[in-house]
Amino acid sequence: MKRIGVFVCHCGSNIANTVHCEKVAQVAKDFPGVVLSTDYKYMCSEPGQVMIQEAIREHNLDGYVVAACSPRMHEPTFRKCAARAGMNPYMVEQVNIREQCSWVHANKEKGTEKSIDLLRMGVAKVVKNEPLYSTTIPVTKRSLVIGGGIAGIQAALDIANAGYPVTLLDREHTIGGRMAQVDKTFPTLDCSACILTPKMVEAAQHPNIELMTYAEVEAVDGFVGNFDVTIRKKARYVDFDQCTGCGACTEKCPKKVPSEFEMELGMRKAIYTPFPQAVPNKPIIDAKHCRYLLDGKCGICKKVCPTGAVDYEQKDELIVERFGAIVVATGFEQFDISAYEEYGAGKIPDVITGLHLERLMNASGPTAGKIKRPSDGKVPEKIVFVKCVGSRDEAKGRPYCSKACCMYVAKHATLLKEKMPNSKSYIFYMDVRTPGKNYEEFYARTQNEYDAQYIRGRVSKIFQVGDKLIVRGEDSLLGRPVEIEADLVVLAAGMDPRGDAKDLARTLGISYDQHGWFTEAHPKLQPVETHTAGIYLAGACQGPKDIPDSVAQASAAAVKAAGLLSKPELTSEAMTALCDEAICSGCGLCQSICPYKSIEIKSINERYHGQMRQRRVSNVNQGLCQGCGACTVACPSGAMNLKGFTNDQILAEVDALCQR
């Protein structure tokens, strides 16, 4: 019989207030296998751990149970404590009598009784525990950053500066992301391009960074330290090795289409670079609009190219690269305002979004920085801003706050007043949220010095009368309806996850929430990690963020990635799934349900009635498996078992409770 120790923690008064800790320890002395049972005020403290280590040596313990707080918080602490005393760390069980007893029971006697039952089950389980051992795996000292916005650029630069090679991948043919579309940044009103462009150039010229633009991730195989990533390099129809970026092709191209970068307020050619500061600053051909690729006519760009870089025969290319760590920084999309039909969004040309206004304000934008109405080119005098469009709206499925809207509306009102002193801004809002350094002061200055009128209330309808826009809403502070005759309406559209975010999450094997934002491993303790080891989050792909928060999180993700790459080898998870091939039917249900793609079906040779035959069975990749246990409950034949939570161990807990 194994020699088991029991240690009951008071957690100060957290547990002791509603659980008789001394009584729990006393009762546990009579449990089968228990040779020592004691209690202490703070088991996780240094004296508490020293006490456990001394008990292990003095009583020659084979395993022990700690009755304390959640294993999620301190199970690693007590496992390390066991390892320092020479005990296998997986011979330790932690019973949660804080969250499951103390915090949910006001009756001390009932809380104590339940604590004893939980401890009884814990002891029964640790008796069935067997030592588990981690294995080591090599690390590919190279990182992939998916997304070339400001977060992706910052993460790539930080990893590269730490001395590790980085591939910076973006689906567009230039890096820069949404920040490249912004005119100025709050609260300092710095030129966005002046901040971003040097970063873009630094990333392009860094010896440890490989730019891979106009490319997408197709598949991800492997595991932490050794991810095999299949990348689709889309056809550009321009050989970048030969192209000098002279611009002759763009100048002569006769085909014009609305520019996505300019929010369709301006035009671009079928062979183009999105904006003057694009990196790399070389054009690509838009296959959907190129006359030669569509019907074989034109071909002017190829004729005028001095280096012969135009190649109409170019095809998509699939490559497979291996990386040790992946940083996901795919950013956000602006909410589709056409969902608000009552605002005339998508129908009235002078009802625009914040990003449209950014392009109108920008000196390199479609109007060269002059604010003009999209409908007739007139300069607006009365501008109405409507906040929380696609944010904090349950009816539109967007209950969350997009965080940056309040500040960018204040920025827009400030810049409009500077550009057009005779203009007047009216801002409809629900609440004003300015949680950032110098944000509140900026908001106050917008009101006091730039004459922006804030109206607390929702807008009910926007419609056009002649060349004016009628905005109807309410002033909830005055308790009366409001009607404003405006020249231009700007909807503060919120942030949405990328349209393909869920597909990318499934490709990477990471989780996402009900809205499509990628989910971190722990909101407080692991804010940049995911549940898949070796994959980290940066920027607005995780949830709405402004530029400073995105940059800060990108650097945090880079530190995590660099820390992983700095290790000569990694220790794999010991508590992983294991398949009993003798009873496995090869149905593949476990493979389809595994969120980490750690299970594959293989064929084995076996002798059956004197003859050799092949049979399909499941095989678990121990490097990929995270020990979630989903396969064990799905397996119809019971062939899948989880180390540390085997059927025998779970049933032992149930039996102990039934036989008390």
Side-chain angles (χ1 to χ4, degrees):
M1 187 71 176
K2 289 178 181 174
R3 298 173 61 82
I4 307 301
V6 170
F7 303 92
V8 182
C9 180
H10 293 230
C11 196
S13 59
N14 273 309
I15 296 175
N17 271 353
T18 48
V19 173
H20 291 292
C21 296
E22 297 88 349
K23 181 180 178 181
V24 173
Q26 186 64 33
V27 172
K29 290 180 179 179
D30 297 327
F31 293 166
V34 174
V35 296
L36 170 70
S37 182
T38 185
D39 60 282
Y40 186 69
K41 195 167 187 178
Y42 295 106
M43 279 294 175
C44 62
S45 66
E46 187 65 28
Q49 293 184 58
V50 169
M51 182 179 75
I52 293 174
Q53 292 170 31
E54 290 176 350
I56 291 172
R57 299 185 184 100
E58 182 180 345
H59 295 273
N60 196 25
L61 299 180
D62 298 310
Y64 69 85
V65 182
V66 180
C69 56
S70 168
R72 184 164 189 172
M73 179 172 288
H74 276 308
E75 188 175 62
T77 301
F78 294 117
R79 282 184 177 170
K80 290 175 184 176
C81 174
R84 286 194 294 269
M87 178 187 289
N88 186 283
Y90 296 95
M91 296 303 294
V92 177
E93 290 295 324
Q94 185 173 347
V95 173
N96 186 358
I97 64 171
R98 188 179 70 179
E99 283 87 338
Q100 295 180 4
C101 297
S102 175
W103 285 1
V104 293
H105 293 291
N107 186 306
K108 198 165 187 176
E109 296 304 320
K110 289 186 176 180
T112 302
E113 183 180 347
K114 184 177 178 181
S115 298
I116 292 171
D117 285 342
L118 290 177
L119 187 55
R120 190 190 311 272
M121 295 166 69
V123 170
K125 182 174 184 294
V126 82
V127 168
K128 292 284 186 178
N129 280 11
E130 295 294 336
L132 300 178
Y133 301 94
S134 300
T135 57
T136 58
I137 51 178
V139 180
T140 302
K141 297 186 179 299
R142 185 178 173 211
S143 181
L144 171 67
V145 177
I146 306 173
I150 183 59
I153 292 171
Q154 184 65 47
L157 285 170
D158 286 344
I159 297 170
N161 287 333
Y164 301 105
V166 183
T167 295
L168 178 56
L169 179 146
D170 197 277
R171 68 191 305 176
E172 305 298 333
H173 67 279
T174 175
I175 58 175
R178 289 293 181 192
M179 189 176 171
Q181 292 180 280
V182 174
D183 179 40
K184 288 184 170 58
T185 61
F186 56 78
T188 55
L189 298 184
D190 292 317
C191 168
S192 180
C194 300
I195 302 171
L196 178 64
T197 304
K199 289 274 189 185
M200 294 165 62
V201 173
E202 184 184 356
Q205 296 179 349
H206 201 292
N208 282 341
I209 296 179
E210 174 195 12
L211 283 190
M212 196 177 289
T213 55
Y214 211 48
E216 296 187 23
V217 172
E218 287 273 308
V220 178
D221 298 307
F223 45 89
V224 57
N226 297 276
F227 293 106
D228 292 318
V229 183
T230 303
I231 299 170
R232 179 178 295 276
K233 300 174 75 172
K234 294 180 284 188
R236 308 168 187 265
Y237 305 104
V238 175
D239 186 338
F240 270 30
D241 292 332
Q242 296 185 47
C243 178
T244 61
C246 66
C249 54
T250 302
E251 182 182 345
K252 296 296 183 181
C253 178
K255 182 68 174 180
K256 291 184 178 181
V257 296
S259 169
E260 299 85 356
F261 183 81
E262 301 293 355
M263 302 298 292
E264 300 190 352
L265 294 172
M267 305 296 283
R268 64 163 173 83
K269 300 292 184 71
I271 181 168
Y272 70 105
T273 52
F275 56 98
Q277 302 92 345
V279 175
N281 204 324
K282 297 180 181 181
I284 68 163
I285 294 178
D286 180 358
K288 294 180 180 178
H289 297 100
C290 174
R291 291 172 59 187
Y292 185 88
L293 291 174
L294 289 175
D295 52 30
K297 298 178 181 179
C298 189
I300 291 176
C301 55
K302 187 167 186 175
K303 295 173 186 175
V304 301
C305 178
T307 61
V310 176
D311 179 9
Y312 296 127
E313 302 302 318
Q314 211 175 81
K315 304 293 183 184
D316 288 4
E317 179 186 1
L318 288 177
I319 61 172
V320 179
E321 302 276 351
R322 176 164 287 189
F323 302 96
I326 299 175
V327 176
V328 185
T330 49
F332 70 96
E333 288 181 354
Q334 184 176 248
F335 175 78
D336 182 4
I337 60 171
S338 63
Y340 285 83
E341 295 182 3
E342 63 270 30
Y343 293 167
K347 297 178 180 178
I348 303 174
D350 294 329
V351 176
I352 62 175
T353 69
L355 267 181
H356 288 92
L357 187 58
E358 293 285 354
R359 297 315 304 154
L360 291 174
M361 287 179 168
N362 196 286
S364 63
T367 59
K370 296 176 181 178
I371 311 300
K372 296 180 180 180
R373 302 199 325 169
S375 63
D376 54 17
K378 292 181 179 178
V379 177
E381 292 186 356
K382 282 187 178 181
I383 301 97
V384 171
F385 292 89
V386 182
K387 288 210 222 176
C388 297
V389 176
S391 295
R392 302 181 65 195
D393 191 341
E394 293 276 2
K396 296 295 189 290
R398 305 295 189 279
Y400 54 83
C401 172
S402 286
K403 194 172 183 180
C405 312
C406 286
M407 284 302 296
Y408 80 62
V409 166
K411 177 193 73 173
H412 287 160
T414 299
L415 294 175
L416 283 172
K417 196 67 174 178
E418 288 182 350
K419 286 178 175 286
M420 303 181 299
N422 294 327
S423 66
K424 176 70 175 178
S425 295
Y426 300 87
I427 302 169
F428 284 88
Y429 72 99
M430 293 168 60
D431 297 291
V432 177
R433 297 180 172 183
T434 55
K437 187 176 182 180
N438 296 324
Y439 285 11
E440 183 66 23
E441 295 88 336
F442 185 89
Y443 158 61
R445 193 164 63 250
T446 302
Q447 280 186 299
N448 301 329
E449 298 179 21
Y450 292 91
D451 194 31
Q453 183 175 338
Y454 279 75
I455 303 168
R456 192 177 191 279
R458 299 300 296 263
V459 170
S460 59
K461 191 173 184 180
I462 300 172
F463 58 95
Q464 193 163 9
V465 176
D467 65 346
K468 297 292 184 181
L469 302 176
I470 308 302
V471 181
R472 286 181 179 169
E474 64 166 342
D475 188 328
S476 61
L477 296 179
L478 297 179
R480 66 185 186 191
V482 176
E483 184 172 293
I484 299 174
E485 191 178 83
D487 299 308
L488 184 69
V489 174
V490 182
L491 304 181
M495 298 185 193
D496 265 3
R498 297 290 300 229
D500 61 350
K502 293 180 181 179
D503 293 333
L504 180 60
R506 285 189 282 267
T507 299
L508 294 169
I510 62 177
S511 54
Y512 53 88
D513 64 17
Q514 68 270 35
H515 307 297
W517 301 109
F518 298 144
T519 306
E520 64 280 0
H522 190 285
K524 296 180 179 64
L525 304 179
Q526 294 174 291
V528 299
E529 290 104 322
T530 66
H531 289 291
T532 299
I535 300 182
Y536 307 99
L537 303 177
C541 65
Q542 182 198 19
K545 290 180 182 65
D546 57 15
I547 294 170
D549 283 353
S550 295
V551 171
Q553 190 184 18
S555 290
V559 168
K560 289 291 184 180
L564 187 154
L565 299 177
S566 69
K567 299 175 181 177
E569 56 187 16
L570 297 176
T571 302
S572 65
E573 174 64 53
M575 299 176 72
T576 55
L578 191 65
C579 177
D580 184 350
E581 295 181 355
I583 59 175
C584 177
S585 65
C587 67
L589 186 58
C590 56
Q591 183 185 36
S592 63
I593 205 170
C594 177
Y596 304 105
K597 302 179 181 178
S598 65
I599 300 175
E600 57 184 17
I601 303 299
K602 69 174 184 178
S603 294
I604 62 170
N605 294 316
E606 66 176 9
R607 186 170 296 279
Y608 183 72
H609 291 310
Q611 294 184 346
M612 297 301 295
R613 69 170 186 178
Q614 279 196 335
R615 187 163 63 86
R616 284 162 42 97
V617 295
S618 295
N619 181 59
V620 181
N621 184 323
Q622 300 297 312
L624 277 175
C625 182
Q626 301 294 307
C628 70
C631 58
T632 64
V633 295
C635 181
S637 61
M640 299 298 290
N641 236 334
L642 183 64
K643 299 174 190 174
F645 290 94
T646 64
N647 295 338
D648 286 345
Q649 290 169 323
I650 301 300
L651 289 173
E653 292 185 273
V654 176
D655 289 342
L657 191 60
C658 294
Q659 296 170 7
R660 61 194 170 119

